[in-house]
Amino acid sequence: MTDVVIIGGGIIGAATAYQLSLAGLRVHVLERGAPVSGTSSRGEGNILVSDKPPGPELELQKFSSRLWAEFDESDHELDIELEEKGGVLLGVAGNAMTALHGYAEAHEAAGVHAERMDAAALYEREPNLAPGYPGGLFYPGDLQVMPVVAAFEMLRIARRNGATISPYTEVRGVKVDKGVVAGVETDNGTVPARVVVNCSGAWAGPLTSSWATPLPVEPRRGYVLVTSALPHVVRHKVYSAEYMDNVSSSDAGLQASLVVEGTKSGTVLIGASRERIGFDDRPRAEIVQRLASQAIAVYPFLADVRLIRYYQGFRPYATGHLPIIGPDPELGGLFHAVGHEGVGIGLAPATGRIITEMILDLPLSVDMKAFAPSRFSEESRHDVPV
Ligand SMILES: Cc1cc2nc3c(=O)[nH]c(=O)nc-3n(C[C@H](O)[C@H](O)[C@H](O)COP(=O)(O)OP(=O)(O)OC[C@H]3O[C@@H](n4cnc5c(N)ncnc54)[C@H](O)[C@@H]3O)c2cc1C
């Protein structure tokens, strides 16, 4: 019998399959579509410490960034394009610079290196910026990866270690025997398993609603624009402080804050929008226009550059903005690893490692209380003061 069935072949399912197979477990990944065809094929691939204030998510990210570096150094067939590119947080004149310095101080206390830049240091790092910025922060620990290639590489190694992957297989529910998981029900029949890990991303809410603790996960749509390949004109990930406000906002309406970055292949990625409108994928030209004009205001040379495409995806947004990682509080043998919203690429290796530690009942590398699915259980819901 398969030891562990994983529902979903995105980067979270891939990282979990990779880690479980390294630990010697027999793994079977069930994916409704083609592997890595969901949200993991739609993101920029940032692995950021800079956008997470001190707290549980930053601690998980620090661990995950280390695992990304280890994964990059392990045996590979494909180049996962991991770059130690560094992130630049742009300052604006006045009080905002004082606030940025306070943010850097808090990060340093949490063990994250943040360099304060005056205008000269900023323009030395990013010479093509529009004039007038007073400075900013530089985070050398911010990385970038090519998420699709990295996820495929994790799946390839998992298969080499004995895992099986069934694409075009839709999970409809779980099979329960004597109160614990005994397998999953799919459109191709039942797959027996002792443990099931739910890595179904933005679709976790409707998928699990009838057989697990209801998970408040819903899609948060985002756009990214891609330019033609350019020389090395945007050297880091560059973003505005407003970006962080939008990331942490629970507003369902459209938000579009500036993120611009070059990639190893020369394209420049321009983001990022956020809106909660269900799984509506109808294109909206005004989002493309808004993201493009914001980017041109910061990098004026972009006005003469051709956009070759844009893509959109559904971030798996969980109420409260923290991923949901851990055992289902009501059904034995079921684990969840969903709700990573805009940070699932960055957090994938840590998620896979922690789920493996939980299944094998090992000490956890990071304190995971804040991520526990039990925060949404019936009992916890009754605890919420009204
Ligand atoms: C525009 C944009 C930019 C982003 N940029 C970044 C970034 O720079 N850095 C970062 O860390 N994150 C980023 N993200 C977020 C990141 O892409 C996600 O957090 C991450 O991809 C989630 O991975 P996942 O494996 O949970 O989801 P997915 O990749 O969506 O995988 C879930 C899989 O489950 C499958 N599935 C669902 N239901 C079933 C079922 N019933 N049966 C079988 N299979 C099922 C789906 O088909 C899907 O393939 C971005 C997202 C967007 C949209």
Side-chain angles (χ1 to χ4, degrees), residues 311-337:
Y311 50 89
Q312 60 167 306
F314 297 109
R315 299 179 187 89
Y317 165 84
T319 306
H321 293 284
L322 278 185
I324 304 168
I325 305 169
D328 187 277
E330 281 146 38
L331 186 54
L334 175 64
F335 291 77
H336 300 288

Side-chain angles (χ1 to χ4, degrees), residues 8 11-12 31-32 39-40 44-46 171 203 341-346:
I11 198 151
I12 299 297
E31 165 54 54
R32 182 176 54 186
T39 312
S40 303
E44 292 114 312
N46 291 300
V171 173
W203 295 270
E341 202 182 335
V343 294
I345 309 301

Side-chain angles (χ1 to χ4, degrees), residues 286-327:
E286 78 250 40
I287 298 181
V288 176
Q289 278 160 357
R290 195 157 143 188
L291 292 176
S293 41
Q294 283 179 178
I296 290 168
V298 177
Y299 284 102
F301 75 87
L302 284 174
D304 301 318
V305 167
R306 187 182 291 266
L307 280 185
I308 54 169
R309 66 190 170 103
Y310 79 88
Y311 50 89
Q312 60 167 306
F314 297 109
R315 299 179 187 89
Y317 165 84
T319 306
H321 293 284
L322 278 185
I324 304 168
I325 305 169

